[in-house]
Amino acid sequence: MLEIEGLTKFFGGLAALSGVDMRVKPGDILGLIGPNGAGKTTLFNLVTGFLRPTKGRVIFEGKDITGKKPHSIAAKAIVRTFQATNIFPDFTVLQNIVLSCHLVPKIGLLETVFHTPSSRRKDEDILQRSQAILELVGLDTMADVAALNLAHGHKRILGIAIALAAEPKLLLLDEPLSGMNAEEVSETMRLIDRLWQSGITILLIEHNMRAAMSLCQRIVVLNFGRKIAEGSPEEIKGNNEVIQAYLGAGEYAP
């Protein structure tokens, strides 16, 4: 589904990413780990068009999308979340999803201007789909709550729900468990697993090693902008270079 070939990004003389090769197959749930500054979010930004690579290519479903604009890449059903929660704080939870559903154009301009029967039907479809997304992520009982009043964990889940409204084939999750307590982590891990089971391919950046090892089929490890390892969770846990570069001898007990 996604092929990354020799992806490189320089900021001035600093290589934030250097010659990274990676493949994501349909149906994968692939983890991307590494210490702070390893280049993980830079890779997401290059894949989704927020940055242009210095060298290398990004290929999605056989087509070169290197350097295309973010809206063009999102239209191909590559959708991401951000480390900072991407919500509209003054809107209700449901309004956040309804607005995000409009990122996938289904209603024409003339339909909207003249408020035609077809536009009203499509608006109702969007409302029903938004409610279904909230039920899927477990926020249906909070539909009328202003997003700014949500607990931190629910704000993070709302960010995932907003991404789902754009109908992703490939969902890029940037530290979805960041700042959560243990109960919120468990809830969000179950949600991510349900999304994967539903057929969405997932690429996941996560610092919670136990969560990443539990969720992901394969893991790619970056350090100082280079890929240093790739394999199953068991292979990664036993990789001495990974342990030295990132996990630390006492930080993760295989």
Side-chain angles (χ1 to χ4, degrees), residues 8-18 37-38 224-226:
T8 300
K9 180 62 181 179
F10 280 93
F11 294 102
L14 176 66
L17 213 62
S18 183
F224 294 114
R226 294 182 179 274

Side-chain angles (χ1 to χ4, degrees), residues 108-171:
L109 177 61
L110 292 178
E111 289 178 297
T112 302
V113 170
F114 294 106
H115 199 50
T116 63
S118 64
S119 76
R120 291 194 293 273
R121 286 194 302 272
K122 290 175 182 178
D123 279 334
E124 180 60 28
D125 288 344
I126 284 174
L127 179 61
Q128 291 178 2
R129 183 163 179 272
S130 299
Q131 292 168 332
I133 289 172
L134 290 184
E135 186 174 352
L136 172 66
V137 303
L139 295 179
D140 47 311
T141 60
M142 305 175 193
D144 297 323
V145 176
L148 60 85
N149 293 327
L150 294 176
H152 171 76
H154 288 145
K155 287 179 180 176
R156 302 291 292 180
I157 289 174
L158 179 56
I160 295 174
I162 287 171
L164 293 177
E167 301 181 3
K169 293 180 182 177
L170 175 61
L171 179 60

Side-chain angles (χ1 to χ4, degrees), residues 17-253:
L17 213 62
S18 183
V20 172
D21 295 316
M22 232 174 79
R23 291 189 177 186
V24 182
K25 299 175 183 177
D28 268 353
I29 179 165
L30 175 65
L32 185 64
I33 69 171
N36 288 330
K40 304 181 298 295
T41 297
T42 298
L43 186 144
F44 268 29
N45 288 335
L46 292 169
V47 169
T48 54
F50 288 88
L51 292 173
R52 294 184 63 88
T54 306
K55 290 191 296 185
R57 296 198 305 163
V58 179
I59 299 167
F60 181 67
E61 294 186 326
K63 296 181 180 179
D64 193 332
I65 60 168
T66 311
K68 291 190 178 296
K69 298 292 185 182
H71 68 272
S72 175
I73 291 174
K76 296 182 183 298
I78 303 175
V79 183
R80 68 172 295 181
T81 64
F82 295 83
Q83 290 181 22
T85 309
N86 53 323
I87 62 175
F88 301 96
D90 295 323
F91 288 11
T92 68
V93 170
L94 179 59
Q95 286 170 336
N96 268 270
I97 305 303
V98 168
L99 181 61
S100 302
C101 282
H102 284 282
L103 296 174
V104 182
K106 292 184 174 69
I107 303 176
L109 177 61
L110 292 178
E111 289 178 297
T112 302
V113 170
F114 294 106
H115 199 50
T116 63
S118 64
S119 76
R120 291 194 293 273
R121 286 194 302 272
K122 290 175 182 178
D123 279 334
E124 180 60 28
D125 288 344
I126 284 174
L127 179 61
Q128 291 178 2
R129 183 163 179 272
S130 299
Q131 292 168 332
I133 289 172
L134 290 184
E135 186 174 352
L136 172 66
V137 303
L139 295 179
D140 47 311
T141 60
M142 305 175 193
D144 297 323
V145 176
L148 60 85
N149 293 327
L150 294 176
H152 171 76
H154 288 145
K155 287 179 180 176
R156 302 291 292 180
I157 289 174
L158 179 56
I160 295 174
I162 287 171
L164 293 177
E167 301 181 3
K169 293 180 182 177
L170 175 61
L171 179 60
L172 282 64
L173 300 175
D174 195 348
E175 297 191 32
L177 308 178
S178 174
M180 291 185 176
N181 60 38
E183 183 179 348
E184 291 169 337
V185 166
S186 296
E187 180 182 356
T188 306
M189 285 178 64
R190 288 192 294 270
L191 169 60
I192 293 169
D193 186 65
R194 287 200 305 274
L195 298 180
W196 173 60
Q197 295 284 355
S198 75
I200 299 174
T201 301
I202 296 174
L203 178 57
L204 169 75
I205 293 175
E206 188 47 60
H207 275 295
N208 184 323
M209 287 297 96
R210 294 187 186 277
M213 297 289 177
S214 174
L215 281 169
C216 298
Q217 300 168 309
R218 291 188 300 122
I219 292 176
V220 170
V221 187
L222 299 181
N223 192 34
F224 294 114
R226 294 182 179 274
K227 186 171 83 170
I228 62 169
E230 179 175 358
S232 69
E234 289 302 317
E235 290 169 333
I236 295 301
K237 282 190 287 186
N239 186 301
N240 286 330
E241 188 175 3
V242 173
I243 293 169
Q244 292 174 7
Y246 182 46
L247 299 179
E251 190 170 333
Y252 189 92

